[in-house]
Amino acid sequence: IQAAHQHVAQTTALAHAHAQKVLEINTAALDRVAHYLATQRDWHASDSRADLHNFLAGIQQGFPSIQSLWVFADDGRPLAQSAVEDVSQAPTAAQRIYFRYHRENPVGGHFLSRPLDFDTGPQFAVTRRLNGPDGHFAGVATSGVYADYFLSQWRALEPQYGSSTALIREDGALLVRYPPVSVNTVPNSQELVSDPEVLARLRNNEAAVFELQSPLDGQLRIVGVRSIQGYPVVLSHSITMDAVLAGWHRTLAPYGALGAVAGFAVTGGGL
């Protein structure tokens, strides 16, 4: 069992490095958007939106972890998107939790939304406040992250041990998990992780390995968690205790499946 704990800690560290880079790429993209808009006097104007669309599309190109980039005005109106030029029919973001968060928190930093199901697949967003010249709230920029981008990397991690890998917000909300779970399965942000001890470890930025009965599949698991530096989210990786007890004598799966993943996340160069 001690060897299994050590193995989970190592695999968790590898998956954590990949997730950290993905979030940093999306954050850097939003920072570039904010810097660009700070140099544009009339970026809210309709005749500036084609240029803004082209700028967003240029950032997105070459980074597979970025699903789309959006810019919303201070009233929630969509102004531009990286994938399509005409966003006149797109819904407002005014009632989105991330939009209200940034409007009410001048120094709130980046925000990670809860996952949403779209026609193109489930995704969550990394978001950032946009400020005017005097620091007033000017809008929000968002970067959508496909769940499939993580799933394509995680599905190779120790399937023979019933592995599960996830990104979880510090409030317990599930962002993405392999094996996948529909957002409709976890309607309340506290349903995924409600154990006070586990939530305390998430909030205190600890790296830890412990045993836990999964609230999703009911199995006893050896769970590794590591916080993602600079974000209110942790990476979790686990294997089932049944698989450990039944087959730990077999050779463990090599770590090569994810060893190159952290590098893959940054293909296309730096932002």
Side-chain angles (χ1 to χ4, degrees):
I1 299 301
Q2 181 178 359
H5 277 238
Q6 293 173 347
H7 176 73
V8 167
Q10 292 172 336
T11 308
T12 301
L14 289 170
H16 167 271
H18 168 249
Q20 179 86 49
K21 288 183 180 296
V22 170
L23 294 181
E24 287 174 352
I25 285 171
N26 283 265
T27 297
L30 295 179
D31 291 345
R32 280 192 63 186
V33 172
H35 182 268
Y36 171 79
L37 295 178
T39 66
Q40 308 297 307
R41 295 183 57 185
D42 300 316
W43 56 271
H44 286 82
S46 58
D47 57 359
S48 300
R49 296 182 188 176
D51 289 340
L52 181 52
H53 159 72
N54 291 333
F55 180 77
L56 298 178
I59 295 178
Q60 181 185 352
Q61 186 176 11
F63 292 95
S65 66
I66 299 177
Q67 187 273 331
S68 64
L69 295 166
W70 286 81
V71 172
F72 297 92
D74 58 358
D75 60 359
R77 288 178 298 113
L79 297 180
Q81 199 242 50
S82 58
V84 297
E85 186 170 341
D86 182 9
V87 295
S88 60
Q89 301 302 311
T92 176
Q95 298 306 313
R96 297 288 190 189
I97 293 175
Y98 65 78
F99 190 89
R100 300 202 304 267
Y101 171 83
H102 289 300
R103 184 175 56 201
E104 298 164 6
N105 292 275
V107 291
H110 296 87
F111 185 88
L112 275 69
S113 77
R114 293 199 66 193
L116 298 170
D117 273 329
F118 292 95
D119 292 341
T120 54
Q123 62 180 268
F124 64 91
V126 183
T127 68
R128 177 201 160 109
R129 175 184 168 113
L130 301 172
N131 289 326
D134 60 355
H136 72 274
F137 176 67
V140 172
T142 73
S143 180
V145 184
Y146 271 137
D148 279 349
Y149 185 75
F150 290 98
L151 301 182
S152 65
Q153 312 301 323
W154 293 347
R155 62 172 48 98
L157 292 178
E158 311 170 318
Q160 72 274 35
Y161 292 107
S163 65
S164 171
T165 310
L167 279 178
I168 307 168
R169 278 196 332 204
E170 289 177 358
D171 63 357
L174 175 69
L175 296 180
V176 56
R177 178 186 186 266
Y178 184 83
V181 174
S182 169
V183 295
N184 296 324
T185 304
V186 192
N188 185 291
S189 65
Q190 296 298 321
E191 272 191 50
L192 178 65
V193 179
S194 57
D195 185 277
E197 179 184 356
V198 177
L199 282 173
R201 286 174 172 172
L202 301 186
R203 292 167 180 155
N204 292 335
N205 298 321
E206 292 185 14
V209 177
F210 48 91
E211 295 173 16
L212 172 74
Q213 185 172 9
S214 169
L216 293 179
D217 60 22
Q219 297 192 72
L220 181 62
R221 290 179 170 273
I222 300 175
V223 182
V225 296
R226 289 178 69 98
S227 63
I228 307 293
Q229 185 176 4
Y231 304 89
V233 64
V234 300
L235 185 289
S236 168
H237 177 75
S238 69
I239 58 178
T240 67
M241 185 65 75
D242 284 347
V244 170
L245 297 178
W248 194 250
H249 63 279
R250 296 192 299 267
T251 301
L252 292 177
Y255 305 133
L258 195 66
V261 162
F264 175 76
V266 295
T267 55
L271 286 168

